Amino acid sequence: MDVSPLTLNRISVYLRCLRRLHEDGVSRISSQQLANKFHLSATQIRKDLTQLGGSGIRGVGYEVQPLIRRLTGALGLDQKHSLAVVGMGAMGSAFTRHIGFNHGSFQVAAGFDHDAAKIGQKVGDIVVKPTSAIGVVIPQLDIKIGIIAVPREAAQDLADRLVAAGTRSILNFAPVRLENSNGVHIRNVDVRIYLEELVFYLGADER
Amino acid sequence: MDVSPLTLNRISVYLRCLRRLHEDGVSRISSQQLANKFHLSATQIRKDLTQLGGSGIRGVGYEVQPLIRRLTGALGLDQKHSLAVVGMGAMGSAFTRHIGFNHGSFQVAAGFDHDAAKIGQKVGDIVVKPTSAIGVVIPQLDIKIGIIAVPREAAQDLADRLVAAGTRSILNFAPVRLENSNGVHIRNVDVRIYLEELVFYLGADER
């Protein structure tokens, strides 16, 4: 299936909204009602949903629960996914606790740090392991998704070690763009870039 | 100046790279060399830089230091920006410490929580205040940028209170899309959406 990252982000947002509608007891919704919620056109929404195999009925709309099941399956969220977090500083620990609390499809199965003071400590549900164990632990637990939350200088090396151990997708919080290798999918999330964007729009009011 | 968020993100990345080049003692760089670093076309880079008033010399390239100054000013980063963090849980505390450590243009000037156990505690350089103080503290410290790091249910109300108190840009980590009001610029950062994207691309290999 060839779906762009932007479409995927919209699907992810629809799914979250549909889950909430379902919790609130809503069983059907039209593409126009969805469109109003997201400030998108109904045509766009129908196109996105059709692409993932969701089909509505003219004049009736979408059945919420089957659509949730369909999108969940299409996104691969009907399975549990194990994550490894590399870097157990403020960011990595926050992420580990946040995911542990909040989300059904994801669990942090391993956390690594090179700091002897952190190794052996408990964070959320896991016990921190040394980064030297990456090559053993990742294949053992069959972890395909890695989170990088280390300083810039260490990020590329640790990403490479994750990939060598079998990780195939990486979410990177380090303030550096990681080089993508071997068809591994990397998503860079640099909080400072978002802040700089906000500042720019602040200033734009005065220009 | 009318600059799209995508252009802005690229500029932010160029700026980070230029700062590093400057630290490494590089004084000039061509658009082609920049292009190679970012896997973009040299034409794209020249277009982006021209838009913010940066000009290179044919056959010579860009002078690194003046270009840094130019981009820093264009992005509004030549001033110090005060941030308020609302929600001093794992995410808000991590953010506060991370920004405190890492970045010259930003400082967390205030942090809020409604939990009595957190109020009065020190996080990084600040002392946590009750959310009831938002209306007083935000104008007092002239804070224009707010960070929302609270559970979904509380996010919209707290964002509205920030805006009512004078905040004009919001970075939202709560897993809900905030409604944008009064020309306030809101950037939603939902880590779970990024994770779902990674899972999709994992699965795409097998489909």
Side-chain angles (χ1 to χ4, degrees), chain A residues 1-6 8-9 11-13 15-16 19-20 23 37-39 52 73-77 81 83 90-91 93-95 97-99 102-103 105-106 144-147 152 168-171 173 175-177 179 183 185-187 189-207, chain B residues 1-6 8-9 11-13 15-16 19-20 23 37-39 52 73-77 81 83 90-91 93-95 97-99 102-103 105-106 144-147 152 168-171 173 175-177 179 183 185-187 189-207:
Chain A
M1 207 178 329
D2 191 20
V3 177
S4 80
L6 279 178
L8 214 51
N9 284 357
I11 298 282
S12 207
V13 171
L15 182 55
R16 189 143 307 141
R19 284 185 192 133
R20 209 166 317 150
E23 282 168 25
K37 280 185 180 295
F38 301 120
H39 311 285
L52 294 189
L75 292 175
L77 298 175
H81 296 276
L83 314 176
M91 195 54 128
S93 309
F95 182 90
R97 295 202 184 91
H98 181 73
I99 292 299
N102 279 284
H103 209 285
S105 306
F106 299 101
K144 300 296 181 205
I145 302 178
I147 317 297
R152 161 160 79 83
R168 283 159 56 213
S169 273
I170 290 179
L171 186 61
F173 288 107
V176 56
R177 275 185 106 72
E179 296 297 324
H185 188 80
I186 296 183
R187 175 59 127 129
V189 179
D190 190 335
V191 166
R192 299 184 308 175
I193 290 184
Y194 300 135
L195 284 176
E196 294 183 0
E197 180 189 312
L198 291 180
V199 168
F200 179 81
Y201 286 111
L202 272 187
D205 298 349
E206 286 142 25
R207 278 188 286 260
Chain B
M1 209 178 329
D2 190 20
V3 176
S4 81
L6 279 178
L8 214 49
N9 284 357
I11 298 282
S12 206
V13 171
L15 182 55
R16 189 142 308 139
R19 285 185 191 132
R20 209 166 318 148
E23 282 168 26
K37 280 187 180 293
F38 302 119
H39 312 286
L52 293 189
L75 291 174
L77 298 174
H81 296 277
L83 314 177
M91 195 55 129
S93 310
F95 183 90
R97 296 201 183 91
H98 180 73
I99 293 299
N102 279 284
H103 209 285
S105 305
F106 299 101
K144 300 297 182 205
I145 302 178
I147 317 297
R152 159 160 81 80
R168 283 160 55 215
S169 273
I170 291 179
L171 185 61
F173 288 106
V176 57
R177 276 185 105 72
E179 297 297 323
H185 188 81
I186 296 184
R187 174 59 124 131
V189 180
D190 190 336
V191 166
R192 299 184 307 174
I193 290 185
Y194 300 135
L195 284 177
E196 294 184 0
E197 179 189 312
L198 291 180
V199 168
F200 178 82
Y201 285 110
L202 271 186
D205 297 349
E206 286 143 23
R207 276 187 288 260

Side-chain angles (χ1 to χ4, degrees), chain A:
Chain A
M1 207 178 329
D2 191 20
V3 177
S4 80
L6 279 178
T7 307
L8 214 51
N9 284 357
R10 286 196 303 273
I11 298 282
S12 207
V13 171
Y14 303 158
L15 182 55
R16 189 143 307 141
C17 167
L18 290 165
R19 284 185 192 133
R20 209 166 317 150
L21 289 170
H22 178 62
E23 282 168 25
D24 293 347
V26 177
S27 63
R28 276 182 192 152
I29 190 158
S30 70
S31 52
Q32 189 55 55
Q33 287 170 304
L34 285 172
N36 296 343
K37 280 185 180 295
F38 301 120
H39 311 285
L40 291 168
S41 75
T43 313
Q44 174 76 69
I45 289 181
R46 282 196 299 272
K47 196 178 146 224
D48 288 343
L49 295 179
T50 304
Q51 214 183 343
L52 294 189
S55 54
I57 301 165
R58 183 178 296 269
V60 175
Y62 294 91
E63 302 271 0
V64 172
Q65 207 178 0
L67 186 56
I68 290 174
R69 228 165 9 229
R70 169 66 75 164
L71 298 185
T72 305
L75 292 175
L77 298 175
D78 44 357
Q79 301 153 44
K80 192 105 182 167
H81 296 276
S82 294
L83 314 176
V85 177
V86 182
M88 280 291 163
M91 195 54 128
S93 309
F95 182 90
T96 301
R97 295 202 184 91
H98 181 73
I99 292 299
F101 273 125
N102 279 284
H103 209 285
S105 306
F106 299 101
Q107 65 173 10
V108 176
F112 301 95
D113 206 288
H114 76 281
D115 178 356
K118 285 180 187 140
I119 295 163
Q121 297 293 311
K122 212 169 169 199
V123 177
D125 291 333
I126 56 136
V127 174
V128 180
K129 294 191 170 68
T131 49
S132 58
I134 286 176
V136 176
V137 174
I138 298 291
Q140 206 168 56
L141 301 179
D142 194 29
I143 296 175
K144 300 296 181 205
I145 302 178
I147 317 297
I148 297 279
V150 298
R152 161 160 79 83
E153 304 73 38
Q156 185 70 53
D157 172 51
L158 288 162
D160 292 344
R161 284 157 68 181
L162 282 177
V163 172
T167 301
R168 283 159 56 213
S169 273
I170 290 179
L171 186 61
N172 171 40
F173 288 107
V176 56
R177 275 185 106 72
L178 294 181
E179 296 297 324
N180 179 315
S181 65
N182 288 325
V184 169
H185 188 80
I186 296 183
R187 175 59 127 129
N188 295 291
V189 179
D190 190 335
V191 166
R192 299 184 308 175
I193 290 184
Y194 300 135
L195 284 176
E196 294 183 0
E197 180 189 312
L198 291 180
V199 168
F200 179 81
Y201 286 111
L202 272 187
D205 298 349
E206 286 142 25
R207 278 188 286 260

